[in-house]
């Protein structure tokens, strides 16, 4: 069987044959047939908008690998900072590189005092932390005029370091403001996850349980990248206009905020709370199926048509966390919901399985995070994914400013008429 595809334009009889590589063929084939012929593909369901060497995902088999390494191995053996290095650089660091990277991140965690005193103080007392976070990321860029030098590798590396290092600080700052507590400065003696937990929770003496520190790190690893999801696509689209990385990350964070994307873990906890008890699960599932109760939050995925491998790891991590915090009472409802859904024809036939968000919210809640912080917790580690794709985009000679075509379905030309004639 030849690895080619032949397309014939029946209007003209013109034919083009192009190669299929790794299941992909170039859209230039269509342009060759007719430069005014477009492919209608809402939500990019069938479109590969870029080449990428960062993350491999097989949704049917439930496989997720970063730079070739299975997510299961990274979650078990690695740390978030090591995975961040891997995503950005393509290889695991050696000991010297790792020590340097850790040192650099640790020494870039502070933010300008005006960010905290002037910028954050302007928000309303009950501002949603994610709204604050999105704006804070964009505002952070205004402190670094060199951020616009995106053609300079040294400048790009500096901004990447700043963004990776300062995200936990911004996140904790948004939270402390929202609960009216004083800001806790970063502590350079702590690990990346421990420093974040410390900035979140420290009041007087605060000791971090190493099991929670590790759980936080595993959650960061699991959320670090997920190839061309909505947020990463936003990063690439905005980055393609040569925007600085802070503005692009703010756009990506805004995309993540939506309940169909990173906001789903918030939706899961609200949904489980509303269900209230195990007995109500079957009726709730029926309401979902009949369309009365919306969608089953934390279920389904554009790419995974099998169990999301991150959901399996998170489900196990949940038990480690509950050992420290006590069991989240919503867990039993979640387990029952999963059991009922996975044995129901509606969900089975549509290949709807739990995704990463189904159990993550339960862990976050058990650790004391308010629901409004859940998407912020996602954005902290995803920043490195966004930045890895941004770097890759800038180095990709095939890329230009993102500018899809449209299928115009509006009215044809008509003459303007004044008020009297309308
Ligand atoms: N509950 C009930 N039915 C669902 C769900 C769900 N969670 N997800 C999809 N379906 C149904 C749809 O109604 C549709 O049924 P139909 O064929 O009878 O019309 C079918 O499954 C296919 O759904 P689509 O909307 O075409 O699937 P799509 O790939 O566009 O959506 C999405 C993926 C957005 C994740 C969807 O499954 C969803 O809304 N899930 C709930 C929200 C959620 O958990 N989001 C987090 C995703 S993971 C992440 O972003 C980190």
């Amino acid at each position: 069987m030849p690895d080619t595809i032949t397309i014939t334009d029946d209007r003209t009889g013109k034919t083009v044959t192009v190669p299929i590589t790794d299941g992909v063929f170039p859209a230039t084939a269509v342009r060759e047939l007719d430069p005014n012929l477009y492919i209608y593909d809402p939500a990019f369901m069938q479109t590969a908008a870029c080449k990428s060497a960062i993350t491999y995902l097989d949704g049917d088999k439930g496989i997720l690998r970063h730079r070739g390494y299975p997510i299961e191995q990274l979650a078990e053996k690695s740390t978030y900072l090591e995975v961040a290095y891997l995503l950005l650089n393509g290889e695991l660091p050696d000991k010297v590189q790792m020590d340097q990277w850790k040192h650099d991140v640790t020494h870039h965690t502070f933010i300008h005092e005006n960010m905290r005193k002037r910028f954050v103080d302007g928000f309303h007392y009950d501002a949603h932390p994610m709204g604050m976070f999105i704006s804070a990321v964009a505002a952070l860029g205004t402190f670094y005029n060199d951020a616009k030098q995106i053609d300079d590798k040294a400048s790009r590396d500096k901004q990447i370091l700043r963004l990776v290092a300062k995200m936990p600080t911004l996140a904790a700052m948004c939270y402390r403001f929202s609960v009216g507590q004083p800001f806790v400065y970063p502590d350079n003696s702590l690990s990346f996850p421990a420093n974040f937990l410390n900035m979140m929770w420290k009041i007087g003496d605060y000791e971090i349980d190493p099991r929670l520190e590790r759980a936080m790190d595993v959650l960061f690893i699991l959320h670090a990248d997920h190839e061309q999801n909505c947020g990463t696509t936003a990063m690439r689209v905005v980055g393609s206009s040569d925007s600085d990385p802070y503005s692009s990350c703010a756009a990506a964070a805004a995309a993540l905020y939506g309940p169909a994307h990173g906001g789903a873990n918030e939706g899961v906890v609200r949904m489980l709370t509303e269900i209230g008890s195990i007995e109500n699960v079957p009726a709730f599932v029926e309401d979902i199926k009949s369309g009365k109760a919306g969608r089953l939050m934390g279920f389904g995925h554009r790419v995974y048509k099998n169990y999301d491998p991150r959901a399996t790891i998170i489900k196990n991590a949940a038990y480690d966390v509950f050992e420290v915090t006590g069991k989240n009472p919503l867990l039993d409802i979640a387990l029952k919901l999963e059991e009922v859904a996975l044995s129901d024809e509606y969900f089975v036939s549509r290949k709807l399985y739990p995704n990463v968000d189904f159990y993550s919210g339960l862990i976050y809640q058990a650790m004391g995070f308010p629901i409004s912080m859940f998407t912020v917790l996602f954005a902290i580690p995803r920043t490195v994914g966004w930045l890895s794709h941004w770097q890759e985009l800038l180095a990709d000679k095939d890329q230009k400013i993102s500018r899809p075509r449209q299928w115009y379905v509006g009215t044809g030309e008509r003459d303007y008429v004044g008020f009297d004639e309308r």
Side-chain angles (χ1 to χ4, degrees):
M1 216 202 305
D3 276 347
T4 55
I5 187 164
T6 299
I7 311 171
T8 305
D9 185 341
D10 293 330
R11 299 169 306 172
T12 59
K14 195 172 168 187
T15 286
V16 284
T17 299
V18 285
I20 300 176
T21 314
D22 299 332
V24 180
F25 74 91
T28 47
V30 176
R31 201 178 308 149
E32 246 181 77
L33 280 177
D34 175 354
N36 294 316
L37 186 64
Y38 303 117
I39 296 165
Y40 179 57
D41 187 18
F44 312 121
M45 297 281 288
Q46 212 65 28
T47 298
C50 63
K51 288 181 193 153
S52 182
I54 300 170
T55 290
Y56 175 78
L57 211 166
D58 183 329
D60 290 327
K61 297 197 182 118
I63 293 174
L64 172 61
R65 295 182 202 132
H66 295 316
R67 303 287 191 183
Y69 296 100
I71 190 67
E72 292 81 2
Q73 292 183 23
L74 294 173
E76 191 193 332
K77 299 180 180 157
S78 188
T79 61
Y80 168 68
L81 276 193
E82 190 181 45
V83 172
Y85 184 99
L86 173 70
L87 288 168
L88 287 165
N89 299 290
E91 296 296 335
L92 287 168
D94 62 26
K95 181 84 180 62
V96 174
Q97 289 166 327
M98 187 63 206
D99 286 347
Q100 185 66 49
W101 170 238
K102 238 194 262 178
H103 174 275
D104 290 346
V105 171
T106 307
H107 289 84
H108 284 83
T109 48
F110 275 71
I111 51 172
H112 196 286
E113 279 292 279
N114 280 353
M115 273 298 289
R116 185 176 66 80
K117 289 191 184 150
R118 308 243 166 130
F119 180 77
V120 172
D121 274 0
F123 281 97
H124 201 50
Y125 72 95
D126 62 351
H128 193 291
M130 193 59 192
M132 294 169 71
F133 180 81
I134 294 166
S135 342
V137 175
L140 190 66
T142 65
F143 290 86
Y144 306 112
N145 287 332
D146 57 337
K148 297 205 183 321
Q149 294 158 18
I150 60 160
D151 294 329
D152 174 10
K153 178 167 167 27
S155 170
R156 284 199 305 270
D157 289 348
K158 192 70 168 285
Q159 314 316 323
I160 288 172
L161 184 58
R162 285 173 172 151
L163 276 158
V164 170
K166 293 180 203 304
M167 286 300 191
T169 316
L170 291 185
M173 173 187 75
C174 295
Y175 168 72
R176 302 284 292 207
F177 176 83
S178 71
V179 289
Q181 286 178 0
F183 181 64
V184 176
Y185 285 97
D187 181 337
N188 290 355
S189 70
L190 298 174
S191 72
F192 188 86
N195 180 44
F196 173 59
L197 292 173
N198 194 56
M199 288 188 290
M200 282 291 301
W201 308 124
K202 186 176 169 69
I203 296 174
D205 287 336
Y206 169 64
E207 255 189 52
I208 300 154
D209 189 300
R211 290 169 293 181
L212 295 186
E213 178 182 345
R214 178 61 193 160
M216 196 73 250
D217 213 27
V218 171
L219 285 158
F220 283 165
I221 292 171
L222 296 179
H223 288 90
D225 189 47
H226 210 233
E227 52 117 307
Q228 312 309 320
N229 55 82
C230 181
T232 303
T233 299
M235 180 84 192
R236 279 181 174 266
V237 169
V238 176
S240 78
S241 73
D242 290 348
S243 266
D244 69 82
Y246 300 87
S247 307
S248 304
C249 274
L256 187 72
Y257 192 9
H261 191 10
N265 49 16
E266 199 173 321
V268 171
V269 171
R270 290 191 203 285
M271 173 186 75
L272 295 174
T273 309
E274 192 189 310
I275 295 173
S277 80
I278 293 183
E279 296 75 58
N280 298 335
V281 168
F284 182 77
V285 169
E286 287 309 313
D287 283 351
I288 295 271
K289 285 160 59 182
S290 67
K292 250 197 265 169
R295 291 197 160 189
L296 185 51
M297 296 310 286
F299 258 69
H301 197 275
R302 171 60 56 77
V303 182
Y304 290 121
K305 300 301 168 197
N306 199 324
Y307 219 94
D308 179 339
R310 300 167 301 170
T312 316
I313 301 167
I314 288 193
K315 194 172 166 184
N316 294 334
Y319 290 100
D320 299 340
V321 169
F322 297 157
E323 252 180 47
V324 185
T325 61
K327 195 171 85 177
N328 186 329
L330 297 179
L331 178 68
D332 289 335
I333 303 176
L335 289 170
K336 184 72 185 167
L337 194 54
E338 182 187 337
E339 182 198 312
V340 172
L342 292 185
S343 56
D344 190 297
E345 175 56 20
Y346 176 95
F347 296 91
V348 174
S349 63
R350 289 171 178 77
K351 298 187 176 170
L352 300 171
Y353 288 86
N355 59 48
V356 68
D357 285 326
F358 193 65
Y359 286 103
S360 63
L362 295 185
I363 305 188
Y364 295 148
Q365 198 181 41
M367 288 171 89
F369 292 103
I371 289 177
S372 57
M373 275 298 285
F374 289 3
T375 316
V376 180
L377 293 169
F378 195 154
I380 294 171
R382 182 52 60 84
T383 299
V384 81
W386 296 332
L387 291 165
S388 303
H389 285 271
W390 175 69
Q391 269 193 154
E392 193 175 63
L393 164 92
L394 294 184
D396 186 345
K397 297 274 175 286
D398 287 350
Q399 292 292 340
K400 289 171 181 287
I401 184 167
S402 284
R403 208 305 186 183
R405 306 306 296 237
Q406 67 166 6
W407 176 356
Y408 179 71
V409 294
T411 55
E413 187 183 358
R414 49 183 169 167
D415 289 325
Y416 178 83
V417 285
F419 279 116
D420 298 349
E421 294 164 71
R422 281 179 219 167

